[in-house]
Amino acid sequence: LAQYQKPNGLMKFDSISLEDIVTKAIQKIGPIAQTKQISFVNRTKNTKFQGNLTNLVDLLVVLLDNAVKYSPAKSKITLVSKNFKNSLSLSVLDRGIGITATDLPHIFDRFYRADTARADSDINGYGLGLSIAKKIADSHHGSISVDSIIGQGSTFTVRLPLTQFS
């Protein structure tokens, strides 16, 4: 988490593609997903924009890792992107356990883990992943949000500007 606490001015932004981010993140999470026979449905558009490739791959890995952890075996996780005039959005949709309305306001807080997550001894973590994802989105002058329904799944959406101003 300390790595992402750096002031925005120290982060290097390059011209990158959404396709590269998605490909690298899926490659990193693929082995974990395979153990649960979870597949990815990639419905993203290859959009070029300014950002830090390494950090954005890390952000997507956090979202995909959580989606795999909290999804049932043999399910699908869908990635969808949308282009807007000056920004893009990337959403990760799972059909997992969902997040309660009482937990939703806190999930991006450091060390926060929902009670249902703590009760499931098969799911490990320190409650830092979503906090890191938010820091990365913030450092890109973007945002991250979530919609969730218990027992039906969650959709995490990252919205990023196409151009960075440092």
Side-chain angles (χ1 to χ4, degrees):
L1 186 60
Q3 173 184 342
Y4 300 106
Q5 301 280 29
K6 297 175 186 172
N8 291 342
L10 298 178
M11 184 176 296
K12 187 174 188 290
F13 295 115
D14 296 306
S15 179
I16 59 176
S17 75
L18 185 58
E19 180 179 37
D20 286 346
I21 295 165
V22 171
T23 300
K24 290 176 188 298
I26 288 175
Q27 285 174 345
K28 287 185 174 192
I29 293 300
I32 297 167
Q34 285 177 348
T35 63
K36 290 180 74 176
Q37 297 177 312
I38 291 175
S39 60
F40 297 105
V41 178
N42 184 357
R43 294 192 179 139
T44 61
K45 299 173 187 160
N46 188 22
T47 304
K48 299 273 188 195
F49 65 104
Q50 291 179 339
N52 184 289
L53 179 65
T54 302
N55 289 359
L56 291 173
V57 169
D58 289 348
L59 184 157
L60 186 53
V61 164
V62 166
L63 298 182
L64 294 176
D65 183 55
N66 280 352
V68 169
K69 281 180 186 177
Y70 297 106
S71 291
K74 300 180 182 179
S75 61
K76 293 181 194 277
I77 295 168
T78 305
L79 292 90
V80 178
S81 69
K82 292 181 185 173
N83 293 344
F84 301 94
K85 183 177 178 184
N86 297 315
S87 64
L88 68 89
S89 69
L90 172 63
S91 297
V92 175
L93 299 82
D94 69 53
R95 300 290 165 244
I97 62 173
I99 304 164
T100 67
T102 56
D103 288 323
L104 281 174
H106 307 287
I107 62 168
F108 296 107
D109 296 345
R110 286 192 300 175
F111 306 112
Y112 186 81
R113 295 201 63 212
D115 287 334
T116 54
R118 281 190 292 251
D120 189 339
S121 60
D122 292 339
I123 299 174
N124 296 317
Y126 297 102
L128 289 174
L130 290 175
S131 177
I132 290 170
K134 183 174 181 340
K135 285 282 184 198
I136 295 169
D138 290 347
S139 72
H140 282 77
H141 308 101
S143 63
I144 186 168
S145 60
V146 61
D147 291 309
S148 189
I149 300 172
I150 292 295
Q152 293 184 28
S154 301
T155 300
F156 283 85
T157 300
V158 178
R159 188 140 180 183
L160 300 166
L162 296 177
T163 306
Q164 293 291 331
F165 301 99
S166 30

